[in-house]
Amino acid sequence: MAAEQPKPQTRKPVLLSKIEAFQDIVTTAVIIPKEDGVISVSEDRTIRVWLKRDSGQYWPSVHQTMTNSCTCMSFNPETRRLSVGMDTGSISEFILAEDYNKMTPACTYHAHQGRVMVVLFVLEMEWVLSTGQDKNFTWHCSESGQQLGTYRMAACVSGLQFDVETRHAFVGDQSGQVTILKVEQDSCSMVTTFKGHTGNVTALCWDPGQRVLFSGSSDNSIIMWDIGGRKGTAIELQGHNDKVQGLCFASHTRQLISCSSDGSIVIWNMDVTRQETPEWLDSDSCQKCEQPFFWNFKQMWDSKKIGLRQHHCRKCGQAVCGKCSSKRSTIPLMGFEFEVRVCDSCHESITEEDRAPTASFHDSKHSIVHIHYEATTGNLLTSGTDKVIKLWDMTPVVS
């Protein structure tokens, strides 16, 4: 049964505009910084640049139809370089004119044997990084167009981020694992892997300032991995009832924006001291009343008692029976923004101050597949399965 989410807040994002007229889902879209504009790529094979007119409506100044579906893109505002991943495995690159009214083809990379899942242009390295359905992570030189290297992953990759300072690539895959790769000019090696999700990794977000990686998953959870702390700290955030589809970090306010398939937009306050969720303990009997669990035949026979179902307290991690964990509570500093099972003794220890929310919840009213946050304007873009792009003013809630 889906957890009951907190009610939407009084202060909420303001819907500024809608962009429609798509024949299929918009796979990726970005807000153009310092312009009233949006770039979109879609399964309907189109690349479009939308500029806001005097009427307040967005109209396409560029409309390019490709031979195949567009699956992802990366846009660099400084160079106006647009890298578009295709369903065929290639990456098509374009340069946009200064006034965003023209788009010139620049290069095509034959990067993958299957659908391009993520593409990322790294200006500092002059690299085009990409992942594909063929399970390969590849990187190309954007100056020469030559492939520099490839690394075979164990599963199809669905998330990619890159840290310029250390040349580390963070790769999230459909097994629920996050892999850190050290990428050199012509070689790549695995540094370590993180496994915390029970579903596919669906979104990654890297904050180079705090050196923290956020991963979202089809298991509805978000994990904050403290890379810079070097202590292996992993903080769980549980605030979605559906697959997490996008993550953006507002570094100036230390707030995380997350969106899910059910249309929820959640704003997390990351400027608080959060606690790791405990490991679940193993036991053959309740660690509170010592009643045997149903597989503990010997104790059941010796005590002449019926075996009970095992549960776990989300606060202390102890294995408990239903009677000893009949209470529910939010534990926001542990990431539990909706009520979860806790043992009776932990429930007594949780104060009203401990229950103070650290996140706000909002409804976008469409099933989200992609998001993009532009910090300079405080605007958020969401694209949905309804084939609509929505632009939101987030300053009432991200401040």
Side-chain angles (χ1 to χ4, degrees), residues 19-70:
I19 303 176
E20 300 176 273
F22 296 98
Q23 300 301 311
D24 211 331
I25 293 171
V26 177
T27 50
T28 314
V30 297
I31 299 168
I32 304 172
K34 301 175 184 177
E35 296 279 344
D36 280 329
V38 168
I39 304 170
S40 67
V41 300
S42 171
E43 293 281 3
D44 66 9
R45 300 186 292 121
T46 62
I47 304 170
R48 305 188 207 190
V49 180
W50 305 81
L51 296 179
K52 192 175 183 179
R53 306 304 184 188
D54 292 339
S55 64
Q57 297 298 309
Y58 284 82
W59 291 92
S61 60
V62 173
H63 184 130
Q64 174 84 33
T65 301
M66 307 296 286
T67 55
N68 294 93
S69 295
C70 306

Side-chain angles (χ1 to χ4, degrees), residues 163 165-166 168 170 180 194 206-213 224-233:
D163 180 54
E165 183 183 335
T166 61
H168 284 152
F170 304 98
I180 300 182
F194 301 140
W206 170 245
D207 173 31
Q210 299 295 318
R211 306 203 64 74
V212 166
L213 180 72
M224 182 186 83
W225 309 91
D226 185 2
I227 309 294
R230 301 182 182 276
K231 294 180 181 178
T233 305

Side-chain angles (χ1 to χ4, degrees), residues 283-319:
S283 180
D284 291 329
S285 58
C286 176
Q287 294 181 295
K288 296 296 181 182
C289 69
E290 299 184 351
Q291 282 261 66
F293 293 131
F294 65 83
W295 61 84
N296 189 352
F297 298 117
K298 185 179 185 305
Q299 189 179 342
M300 287 164 59
W301 178 263
D302 292 343
S303 63
K304 301 296 187 290
K305 291 180 179 178
I306 298 173
L308 303 176
R309 183 182 172 190
Q310 184 191 65
H311 301 280
H312 284 90
C313 172
R314 300 305 192 270
K315 190 172 191 298
C316 67
Q318 287 191 321

Side-chain angles (χ1 to χ4, degrees), residues 59-277:
W59 291 92
S61 60
V62 173
H63 184 130
Q64 174 84 33
T65 301
M66 307 296 286
T67 55
N68 294 93
S69 295
C70 306
T71 58
C72 56
M73 74 157 162
S74 175
F75 176 64
N76 181 262
E78 293 179 51
T79 59
R80 299 186 305 283
R81 183 190 297 262
L82 179 65
S83 309
V84 181
M86 306 299 296
D87 193 44
T88 57
S90 65
I91 298 169
S92 297
E93 231 170 41
F94 303 88
I95 303 298
L96 288 164
E98 285 188 44
D99 61 2
Y100 291 97
N101 282 304
K102 186 180 178 183
M103 189 169 73
T104 306
C107 184
T108 299
Y109 308 95
H110 300 287
H112 298 278
Q113 297 301 312
R115 182 183 179 94
V116 181
M117 302 299 288
V118 188
V119 62
L120 192 62
F121 172 65
V122 184
L123 176 62
E124 294 84 352
M125 313 302 301
E126 293 287 351
W127 287 350
V128 177
L129 313 179
S130 62
T131 64
Q133 245 176 3
D134 58 5
K135 301 181 183 178
N136 285 335
F137 163 71
T138 68
W139 63 108
H140 288 75
C141 174
S142 62
E143 291 183 313
S144 67
Q146 296 298 307
Q147 181 173 302
L148 300 174
T150 185
Y151 186 92
R152 179 79 170 175
M153 305 299 296
C156 182
V157 174
S158 44
L160 175 64
Q161 293 281 276
F162 186 75
D163 180 54
V164 174
E165 183 183 335
T166 61
R167 296 191 184 183
H168 284 152
F170 304 98
V171 183
D173 65 40
Q174 293 186 356
S175 74
Q177 185 170 277
V178 178
T179 303
I180 300 182
L181 301 173
K182 176 71 171 180
V183 186
E184 301 292 354
Q185 186 69 18
D186 56 1
S187 65
C188 181
S189 58
M190 188 184 76
V191 178
T192 189
T193 58
F194 301 140
K195 186 65 189 274
H197 293 291
T198 57
N200 303 346
V201 174
T202 51
L204 288 179
C205 178
W206 170 245
D207 173 31
Q210 299 295 318
R211 306 203 64 74
V212 166
L213 180 72
F214 298 94
S215 60
S217 171
S218 60
D219 64 11
N220 308 349
S221 73
I222 300 164
I223 300 179
M224 182 186 83
W225 309 91
D226 185 2
I227 309 294
R230 301 182 182 276
K231 294 180 181 178
T233 305
I235 304 294
E236 287 187 45
L237 302 174
Q238 301 280 357
H240 287 283
N241 283 326
D242 210 336
K243 176 170 67 173
V244 177
Q245 291 285 58
L247 297 169
C248 299
F249 188 69
S251 56
H252 61 296
T253 60
R254 291 194 48 75
Q255 288 171 290
L256 177 70
I257 304 168
S258 62
C259 298
S260 54
S261 294
D262 61 2
S264 295
I265 301 174
V266 183
I267 316 298
W268 305 84
N269 178 12
M270 302 310 297
D271 199 22
V272 294
T273 304
R274 294 188 175 272
Q275 304 164 23
E276 281 192 279
T277 50

